Amino acid sequence: MTLAAKWPSRQGTKDMQSGALDFRNRSAILDGLDGASFDLLVIGGGVTGAGIARDAAMRGLSVALVEARDFASGTSSRSSKMIHGGLRYMAQGDLGLVQEAASERKAVEAIAPHLTKMTPFVIPAKNAAAIAKLRTGLWAFEKLGGVPKGRQHEVWSRKDVEANEPAIDASDLTGAVVYPEYLTEDAKLTLANVRAAVAFGAVAISYAPVAEVICEHGKAVGVILDDALGDTSRARISAKVIVNAAGPWVDRLRGLEEAGAKPRLMLSKGVHLVVDQARLPVSRTIIMGARDKRSVFAVPKGRFTYIGTTDTFYPQDHVWPHIDRDDIDYLVEATNKRFGVAPLGDADIVAAWSGVRPLVGQEGKSASEISRKDEVWTGPAGILAIAGGKLTAYRRMAERVVDTVEELMGRKPTPSRTATMPLPAGDLDVEAVTSALAATMPRVEAERLVALYGAEAHLAAGGPEAEARYAVTVEGALQLEDVWVRRSNRAWFDDKGGEAALPLLAKEMATLLTWSPSQTEAQIKACLDIRADSLSALKTTFVSS
């Protein structure tokens, strides 16, 4: 049955223009999917899959986007939250990757200015030779990326370092090289792409893992979905082309297409620590050298500073990779070596997160040496699988995949419009919206709301309850974790990991989603368990309040 015949109305979204997600009619969505046929089925609701779904829907394809958990619940909410050019990839010879990443910063800034906050990166240098080497690399970087003169690098003297970033221990420095990069809200960027796809007619569903790949005459023609939220319902979807964009779980999906398929990924774990801004007062992103000569970052974010990241092989595709003692020591050592503040200790760590990167395997290389280039493979039953790549270049990755999809459908690829069409809530003057909100609340809170909600910030203003309402009715949240971690960022950037907000968020969600008291308590406990586990390697005892 065709999409038009099967799908009488859009999937419960409230506004065709904004693509608002509201999954409270979840049973109807699954019922509508059962037996439906699409041009393209995208498996995986991270930024790559969401970007593919958006691009394909904007080109007029009928699209279904399915996600096993919540959108952005894997790698796409556990990054270092940077839209950056990847200067270090120039040293590895990946000039194409550098050029693409540098130019893609402009596109993301154009379509979602609230999700691209310019924040200078500071690279401390111990001597004039180091500064000269850095400047040579940055000149090439700026030329490749077409960086305008007003956004090119500058050089600081040691006195400049001491004046501009006094927390740095500059006693061993000659100066620093400073250049602009961008910070983002990775989960919100993903959700904005999902919403944009839906606004152009795509159908999206979360908590619907693929249980089986359906093949006919050796070709994959569809999948069977399960319901991860406890319902026994199943949905059978057909599609002309299927794309596996499951991130760290790409190999698991490849195993459903071909039993015994040889793994192609090498997963790498990245850990970040969060401390109060008062304990590590930086106003720019500071690049530090770690014990293994890698670079790690100290990044300002509102009332907090986060430190990351590690890059070590992690063979399990865990949703929440365990944070080990060595992960903590690695980041704290690098921080204490570079900064002149009182040494950070376990008691200063207020939150932590971990995730895994889906790197394309390269034997003999360390995790940090493996190229971040994306690759696309065609499985034996015709499923396209995409892995690798960087958050910064997600839009171009999606564009290339959709070009291939159209070719497989026998169509000449049509031009992509994703570089110029604003994402939902992305058509705004960031400063104007922030200033308007700041008239009624502290500016730091106004900045937080605009960074998370863009032009729709006023809809989420009013505390945790308002954010929970917005999350359920506009952003498709179904679990407390969805709001606490990915919609509101309170898990990592709120006092004590947002513990005080959990009951308020849960109460509002219980009303909207008809949870029983026991279900509500279970939702709160699940979040507290995540927080306790993330901090379990600390030597100080963690006790949830």
Side-chain angles (χ1 to χ4, degrees):
M1 187 176 292
T2 66
L3 174 66
K6 181 69 181 181
W7 209 259
S9 62
R10 296 177 69 254
Q11 52 165 61
T13 58
K14 295 164 54 179
D15 183 344
M16 187 65 171
Q17 294 303 115
S18 69
L21 305 175
D22 187 340
F23 292 149
R24 288 176 292 176
N25 60 342
R26 178 180 172 75
S27 296
I29 296 171
L30 283 169
D31 288 346
L33 280 170
D34 190 31
S37 179
F38 298 84
D39 292 328
L40 173 64
L41 168 63
V42 183
I43 304 170
V47 73
T48 302
I52 292 168
R54 175 191 179 224
D55 194 324
M58 288 178 69
R59 297 194 204 189
L61 303 186
S62 59
V63 180
L65 173 65
V66 301
E67 163 58 41
R69 288 169 290 276
D70 182 30
F71 299 117
S73 58
T75 309
S76 295
S77 58
R78 320 290 180 81
S79 74
S80 293
K81 307 186 187 304
M82 296 174 180
I83 299 290
H84 67 120
L87 182 62
R88 76 180 179 92
Y89 305 125
M90 182 172 289
Q92 297 175 345
D94 272 344
L95 299 185
L97 184 63
V98 172
Q99 185 174 27
E100 180 173 273
S103 61
E104 277 303 295
R105 294 181 307 175
K106 301 175 188 175
V108 180
E109 184 180 24
I111 63 177
H114 63 300
L115 296 176
T116 46
K117 179 182 179 182
M118 185 181 291
T119 304
F121 279 29
V122 179
I123 311 178
K126 294 187 177 182
N127 52 55
I131 289 177
K133 183 178 180 180
L134 285 168
R135 296 198 74 185
T136 299
L138 277 163
W139 277 322
F141 170 78
E142 289 161 354
K143 186 174 181 61
L144 280 170
V147 178
K149 189 172 182 179
R151 294 188 176 185
Q152 293 178 1
H153 73 278
E154 59 180 308
V155 176
W156 284 358
S157 67
R158 181 166 69 183
K159 287 186 177 179
D160 291 332
V161 174
E162 292 170 340
N164 295 324
E165 292 291 347
I168 292 177
D169 177 2
S171 60
D172 63 337
L173 301 180
T174 294
V177 177
V178 185
Y179 67 102
E181 288 283 19
Y182 300 84
L183 301 180
T184 191
E185 299 288 352
D186 49 5
K188 304 296 277 197
L189 181 61
T190 303
L191 284 162
N193 275 271
V194 176
R195 290 180 57 193
V198 168
F200 280 89
V203 180
I205 185 73
S206 59
Y207 293 100
V210 172
E212 182 181 339
V213 172
I214 304 166
C215 291
E216 294 179 359
H217 309 294
K219 176 176 170 49
V221 295
V223 300
I224 294 176
L225 301 179
D226 276 343
D227 185 348
L229 296 184
D231 197 310
T232 57
S233 299
R234 292 189 129 196
R236 178 185 178 118
I237 305 176
S238 298
K240 295 174 184 175
V241 182
I242 301 173
V243 171
N244 172 2
W249 300 277
V250 158
D251 279 338
R252 189 178 295 192
L253 264 292
R254 289 177 60 241
L256 292 180
E257 180 185 9
E258 178 189 17
K262 184 179 179 181
R264 298 289 297 269
L265 302 185
M266 297 182 74
L267 304 183
S268 161
K269 180 174 69 170
V271 171
H272 295 78
L273 308 177
V274 184
V275 300
D276 285 330
Q277 170 78 190
R279 278 297 284 118
L280 192 60
V282 297
S283 56
R284 301 163 184 82
T285 295
I286 313 300
I287 300 178
M288 310 172 287
R291 66 169 84 132
D292 57 359
K293 310 302 182 184
R294 287 181 62 252
S295 293
V296 295
F297 307 89
V299 185
K301 186 170 177 63
R303 296 186 291 111
F304 301 91
T305 299
Y306 64 93
I307 305 161
T309 178
T310 63
D311 197 356
T312 53
F313 287 128
Y314 191 82
Q316 296 85 13
D317 59 0
H318 292 161
V319 175
W320 293 100
H322 185 67
I323 298 176
D324 299 313
R325 182 69 232 177
D326 192 60
D327 297 323
I328 296 169
D329 291 342
Y330 176 88
L331 296 172
V332 170
E333 285 171 10
T335 306
N336 287 338
K337 185 178 178 181
R338 177 41 60 208
F339 288 92
V341 299
L344 296 178
D346 283 12
D348 297 305
I349 298 170
V350 298
W353 76 84
S354 64
V356 289
R357 308 173 184 88
L359 306 179
V360 179
Q362 292 178 278
E363 291 297 334
K365 291 192 174 184
S366 69
S368 59
E369 292 172 330
I370 290 179
S371 172
R372 267 47 175 179
K373 287 181 180 178
D374 58 284
E375 291 190 16
V376 177
W377 317 302
T378 302
I383 295 179
L384 297 180
I386 180 167
K390 288 176 57 60
L391 172 66
T392 304
Y394 87 90
R395 194 202 62 81
R396 281 289 290 123
M397 291 163 57
E399 186 177 316
R400 290 192 291 268
V401 170
V402 179
D403 284 348
T404 301
V405 169
E406 288 198 291
E407 289 170 353
L408 290 172
M409 292 176 59
R411 296 171 43 153
K412 181 180 178 180
T414 50
S416 172
R417 296 183 291 144
T418 57
T420 56
M421 181 75 70
L423 287 167
D427 190 4
L428 77 160
D429 179 326
V430 172
E431 178 54 36
V433 175
T434 303
S435 295
L437 280 178
T440 61
M441 64 183 69
R443 183 164 180 97
V444 68
E445 177 62 12
E447 290 174 346
R448 170 185 171 272
L449 288 171
V450 173
L452 290 172
Y453 305 104
E456 298 171 347
H458 63 286
L459 300 177
E465 298 92 339
E467 290 189 86
R469 268 193 311 277
Y470 180 95
V472 171
T473 61
V474 180
E475 293 185 310
L478 291 169
Q479 304 282 286
L480 182 57
E481 177 197 322
D482 302 349
V483 183
W484 177 62
V485 174
R486 289 172 289 279
R487 308 307 193 277
S488 72
N489 258 355
R490 291 181 180 273
W492 301 320
F493 302 111
D494 195 2
D495 296 324
K496 294 185 178 180
E499 287 186 33
L502 282 172
L504 302 175
L505 295 169
K507 182 179 179 181
E508 186 66 25
M509 293 185 74
T511 299
L512 293 167
L513 297 167
T514 62
W515 291 343
S516 68
S518 62
Q519 287 175 313
T520 304
E521 287 303 313
Q523 291 279 334
I524 294 172
K525 182 180 184 301
C527 292
L528 291 175
D529 286 348
I530 290 170
R531 176 164 164 77
D533 184 69
S534 70
L535 300 175
S536 63
L538 297 179
K539 293 177 182 176
T540 53
T541 302
F542 168 76
V543 179
S544 63
S545 57

